[in-house]
Amino acid sequence: RLASRAMKIPALVVAVAGAFLALNATGSNARKSAKAASKLTQVSVIKTDILKFHHLKNPKAVSLEEKSLIDAWLYAQRDEVNMFGDARGTKYEHGTPLKNEDGTKRNDKYAYVKWRRSDAPWIARFPKHWGEEPAQQTRDYVKLPGAYGFGSGTLKRWIEEKMAEDEAAAAKEAAAASPRRDAEKTSETTREEVVEATSADAATEGAVETTAGEGA
């Protein structure tokens, strides 16, 4: 009996050890699978957050004036967009949208901004009543009045003329409104004087009637 029990104990130990090893291997494989799945998920999230390079074929040339408008808009919107007109924090496949990995394909910065922002938010910067800016302009590059950035000397003079016209129109409107205000003020004063005179007359008549009654 002792010999039989002695033979059963090693067999039991072997069975328990085998079960433990199998369980450990299963847990290890599960952890590895979970880790791999987590890593795959992370990679896929990062990839979807990266903007792939897009090569612009035969883009239209951007004029010097529009480049100035784009620069002024990028600066004004610097808290919302990056230097390429995309939302701040945008990641690019090769670190920049202006070239591919080996630099064999390149994009012009301004052409890229125009492609990404087809609504051209930098265009509508002048008051509508100014009309269209001069079609023919000099090829110089100067600072424009106000907050209009940079552009040609022709555009500078045009802006100055329009601003002067606005100032003259505002002064004329103010001058026209002044007589109306004076007339309204005079009319109001006259009404007040009439009311005061009427009240005085009524008081006088009342006093006369009272005196006459006392005399009677």
Side-chain angles (χ1 to χ4, degrees):
R1 289 181 181 179
L2 291 175
S4 176
R5 289 179 181 178
M7 292 179 65
K8 290 181 179 180
I9 290 174
L12 180 62
V13 170
V14 171
V16 171
F20 177 77
L21 290 175
L23 181 62
N24 188 37
T26 302
S28 178
N29 291 335
R31 287 194 296 273
K32 288 181 180 179
S33 298
K35 188 175 181 180
S38 176
K39 186 175 180 181
L40 180 61
T41 302
Q42 291 177 359
V43 170
S44 63
V45 169
I46 292 174
K47 283 186 177 180
T48 56
D49 193 37
I50 294 177
L51 194 62
K52 291 188 174 295
F53 175 77
H54 177 82
H55 184 224
L56 302 175
K57 297 180 180 179
N58 302 319
K60 293 183 179 180
V62 183
S63 67
L64 188 64
E65 288 75 21
E66 189 167 8
K67 288 180 180 180
S68 174
L69 295 180
I70 292 174
D71 285 334
W73 176 77
L74 290 173
Y75 180 77
Q77 301 295 322
R78 60 190 180 279
D79 292 335
E80 303 294 332
V81 301
N82 59 19
M83 63 184 297
F84 307 114
D86 291 314
R88 289 187 63 84
T90 300
K91 298 176 182 178
Y92 301 100
E93 184 178 12
H94 306 301
T96 174
L98 303 186
K99 63 179 182 179
N100 63 352
E101 186 175 7
D102 58 6
T104 55
K105 295 181 179 179
R106 295 178 176 270
N107 290 325
D108 175 74
K109 170 188 170 180
Y110 298 99
Y112 176 83
V113 174
K114 289 191 66 175
W115 173 68
R116 290 291 290 170
R117 299 303 302 261
S118 58
D119 56 334
W122 51 85
I123 294 296
R125 61 169 182 159
F126 298 123
K128 290 184 178 180
H129 67 275
W130 285 12
E132 295 292 333
E133 60 186 79
Q136 296 182 349
Q137 301 184 22
T138 54
R139 299 179 65 84
D140 53 350
Y141 192 68
V142 299
K143 189 178 186 309
L144 303 176
Y148 293 117
F150 294 83
S152 68
T154 306
L155 189 60
K156 178 177 181 293
R157 290 188 295 274
W158 179 76
I159 293 173
E160 290 173 341
E161 290 174 0
K162 294 301 180 181
M163 293 176 71
E165 289 176 3
D166 285 350
E167 291 178 2
K172 184 177 180 181
E173 184 178 352
S178 181
R180 289 197 299 269
R181 287 195 298 267
D182 293 341
E184 291 173 358
K185 186 176 181 181
T186 301
S187 177
E188 184 177 354
T189 302
T190 303
R191 284 196 301 270
E192 291 176 355
E193 291 174 350
V194 170
V195 170
E196 290 176 358
T198 303
S199 299
D201 291 342
T204 302
E205 290 177 1
V208 170
E209 290 177 358
T210 301
T211 303
E214 290 177 352

